[in-house]
Amino acid sequence: MGEPGTKELISLDDLEAAGNLRSGRKHILSILVENKPGVLTRVAGLFARRAFNIDTLAVGPTDDPAISRITLTLDGAVHPIDQVTKQLHKLINVLKIRDLEPEATLARELALFKLAVDGSSRAELLQICDIFRAKVVDVAKRSVVVELTGTADKVEAFEQLVRPFGLIEMARTGEIAISRGRSET
Amino acid sequence: MRAVDALMEALKAEGVEVVFGLPGGANLPTYDAFYDAGIRHILVRHEAGGGHAAEGYAKATGKVGVAFGTSGPGATNLITPIADAMMDSVPVVFITGQVRTELIGTDGFQEADMLGMTLPIVKHSFMIQHPLEIPRAIHEAFHIARTGRPGPVLVDIPQDLSRADIPYEPVGDVRLPGYQPTVEGNQKQIRLAAKALANARRPVVYAGGGVVNAEASEELRAFALSDRFPVTCTLMGLGAFPAPHEQWLGMLGMHGTRTANYAMDEADLILAVGARFDDRITGKLSEFAPRAKFIHIDVDPAEISKNVPAHIPIVGDAKNVLARLTTEYRALGADKGRLEEWWTRIDGWRRQHPLRYDDTTGTEIKPQFAIQAVFEATGGDAIVTSDVGQHQMWAAQYYDFPAPRRWINSGGLGTMGFGVPAAMGAAVGVPDRTVVCIAGDGSVQMNAQELATCSQNGIPIKVVIINNGYLGMVRQWQELFWDKRYSHVDMGDFPDFVKLAEAYGATGLRLTDKTTLVEDLRAAIATEGPVVVDVRVSRESNVYPMISPGQAARDMVG
């Protein structure tokens, strides 16, 4: 890649390669923050500034009304994740961060699918829903809305299967997570 | 009392003696409180000048600097000083006015989302939403600014809230559950570091601005002298180790000495203290200090292993950790003879590659000579601020700093226009020491308006302009890397700095003769009040030596 400050030309391929350097396994970060205005902006802004892409983001209250939980998932090699958790710790309103181990974590998201299904294919769809323990929450003449809870993988698998029926739209919450066993997340 | 009076009480409780600022609509209530609060307020000519002055004050004294601005443009003018303070870890509290709460979000007159705009460049910020929050926010802002890794904190106060009538009660505590900087280094890690140092045959101590911030210069010296450890400092760390000294290698990095850079290149163990492995230090990262293991002491855990993986990380305050490291190291009774060979190598580089420049011209002044003349004329004893560019690098190379807080410059952000206001702040904070601003003819124009502030308030800064009529550093890069296509770097012979100085009520001088330069500078510095000296230097001198962009330290040129 061209040296900074010099006139050496930088190819677009080089730029793209540099942009793709930071990809690795998926991480789920569980971040406890003070429930104050602007805290989400601070967290999201930090990711933007350090050039990290958030895949999903879910925010909600915890058992303590003064504390909120931000659950976010992102792609990254191990090294940058370490850097990002350290940078997050520097935010004054961030109380605690866990980079959740996939094996020791229960992660779930909620997804809603609107499918273009009429009478002819409804039975087949219901069969798939049954296997995935998805719930039909709305039926109209030419459409069905299905609700599904599960890991991101499960939601994606379901999406693959129902897409051929005619996927009108889909909404996903992004994963929330909690650790297995007695210990706190 | 009015919330703004409570604000004044909170400032006084924090020991604030002086602030820099400029009033406007949204902070009219605050300025009414300043009228008889008994806090010295220095009226600057531009908020950026006030912000940098607060930085200069903080860097010279070690105390928290304070800068005020109104909403909208007053606040956005503070953005450069805020970013500068963030990059160089300077403890400054910025207090801005904001439009009335009912106008927020309506694009009201002089409204700007200051909190939003500054999020990536503050250590923390407070948007006041209730007048009762004001005293606590001020105390927490000072606490956050000065502790851990210091940095800028913003407090944004809507105009209507500042007029509220509130009871003031002194705030004795801070409630920041998410903020607990680690100060004590881990004892096991310190012991490990001491052992590694005792076994090292080619060690180098690489110290940065964190040592100055932590007031750890004495501890650094004691550690280095507990054996014959060679020491180099970053641009921000100059003065943390006394120069000159037999164990001093000079500054390292892009324009550092060959000795310091070669020593880093061949070191087997590098002790980094309060330094952050900036790209201006490492050059080509993959070829930086290829043989070395790293011990990294820093109060900010995010700096450790950010750019260069640390083998022995120690999170903690440099003063605390260095003192304990020295004790541990002494207890090991390391073999001092093991460093003989290393010193022979280092002394070889020193003899072969001292800092040098061609000084065979008749009366023409070389810029490096001008810096040496400033050193002579001040007895090496001044507080020196600088702007950003060639003159900054020459000052760093040719002015030896015997103590910390003598060298004040914008390292991380590289802010042109920093020098004059920073000198003003330093002179306010340390009135009994000569304060010299070494400026460039380009940089100085970016905040020259503060000369009026200096004249009005009798702040006797001495501004020495290293005038080559160019944006010199850009010209140097265009010469070396862009085929001498000098695109928009010639500043011409404007303005007339002598007349400019006089217009601002300062003394103005032009010096062009090398043979009398030292005595002329001595006379200028002895002149009362603010002085501007326009030193005409050779136009196309370059800063050498240099690690060319993207190259390794061992390939230094010049």
Side-chain angles (χ1 to χ4, degrees), chain A residues 3-8 34 36-38 41-42 45 49-50 79 82-83 86-87 89-95, chain B residues 115 119-120 123-126 129 144 149 176-179 300-302 304-306 477 481-483 549-550:
Chain A
E3 298 306 344
T6 66
K7 57 179 218 161
E8 201 182 323
E34 290 184 87
K36 285 185 174 172
T41 316
R42 286 177 204 272
R49 174 162 120 72
R50 301 274 166 188
H79 176 77
D82 176 55
Q83 178 57 213
K86 284 169 163 180
Q87 294 291 351
H89 265 299
K90 287 169 71 170
L91 296 177
I92 309 288
N93 304 119
V94 169
L95 302 171
Chain B
L115 194 97
L119 272 183
K123 186 170 173 188
H124 193 54
S125 47
F126 295 88
Q129 293 183 316
I144 292 167
R149 178 180 182 173
L176 300 164
Y179 179 68
D300 179 359
I304 290 173
S305 300
K306 183 179 81 177
W477 281 57
F481 309 117
W482 297 82
D483 302 333

Side-chain angles (χ1 to χ4, degrees), chain B residues 107-326:
Chain B
D107 305 318
F109 175 63
Q110 291 196 329
E111 183 190 0
D113 175 10
M114 192 58 182
L115 194 97
M117 278 189 285
T118 57
L119 272 183
I121 52 168
V122 293
K123 186 170 173 188
H124 193 54
S125 47
F126 295 88
M127 172 82 195
I128 300 298
Q129 293 183 316
H130 192 284
L132 283 174
E133 295 168 8
I134 292 174
R136 173 167 295 279
I138 296 295
H139 290 299
E140 291 182 346
F142 273 77
H143 177 75
I144 292 167
R146 81 160 79 83
T147 54
R149 178 180 182 173
V153 182
L154 173 79
V155 185
D156 199 31
I157 309 178
Q159 204 256 19
D160 53 334
L161 304 188
S162 69
R163 282 182 297 154
D165 184 26
I166 61 167
Y168 171 68
E169 275 172 45
V171 177
D173 62 331
V174 290
R175 290 179 205 150
L176 300 164
Y179 179 68
Q180 281 130 3
T182 307
V183 176
E184 291 267 326
N186 179 294
Q187 186 63 30
K188 257 194 212 158
Q189 292 292 93
I190 293 174
R191 196 163 296 154
L192 206 59
K195 275 190 194 148
L197 285 157
N199 287 318
R201 308 191 71 85
R202 296 188 308 279
V204 176
V205 178
Y206 150 49
V211 176
V212 178
N213 278 338
E215 306 286 358
S217 301
E218 264 315 304
E219 287 75 8
L220 176 69
R221 210 175 86 96
F223 169 74
L225 269 51
S226 68
D227 203 329
R228 285 182 72 207
F229 290 118
V231 182
T232 178
C233 284
T234 67
L235 179 69
M236 300 310 297
L238 294 177
F241 189 78
H245 189 282
E246 53 176 11
Q247 285 169 234
W248 170 242
L249 308 182
M251 179 173 79
L252 81 165
M254 181 171 271
H255 292 299
T257 64
R258 275 198 153 79
T259 306
N261 284 322
Y262 289 175
M264 292 290 280
D265 186 56
E266 292 196 7
D268 65 353
L269 181 69
I270 289 170
L271 172 68
V273 198
R276 59 184 178 84
F277 297 87
D278 177 77
D279 56 275
R280 285 297 189 266
I281 296 297
T282 61
K284 189 175 190 176
L285 197 56
S286 58
E287 290 180 34
F288 171 66
R291 301 154 189 84
K293 298 260 191 287
F294 293 94
I295 303 168
H296 194 172
I297 303 170
D298 207 294
V299 74
D300 179 359
E303 283 307 336
I304 290 173
S305 300
K306 183 179 81 177
N307 295 337
V308 172
H311 301 87
I312 306 179
I314 306 177
V315 179
D317 179 74
K319 194 177 179 75
N320 170 295
V321 175
L322 281 172
R324 286 158 59 204
L325 182 62
T326 309

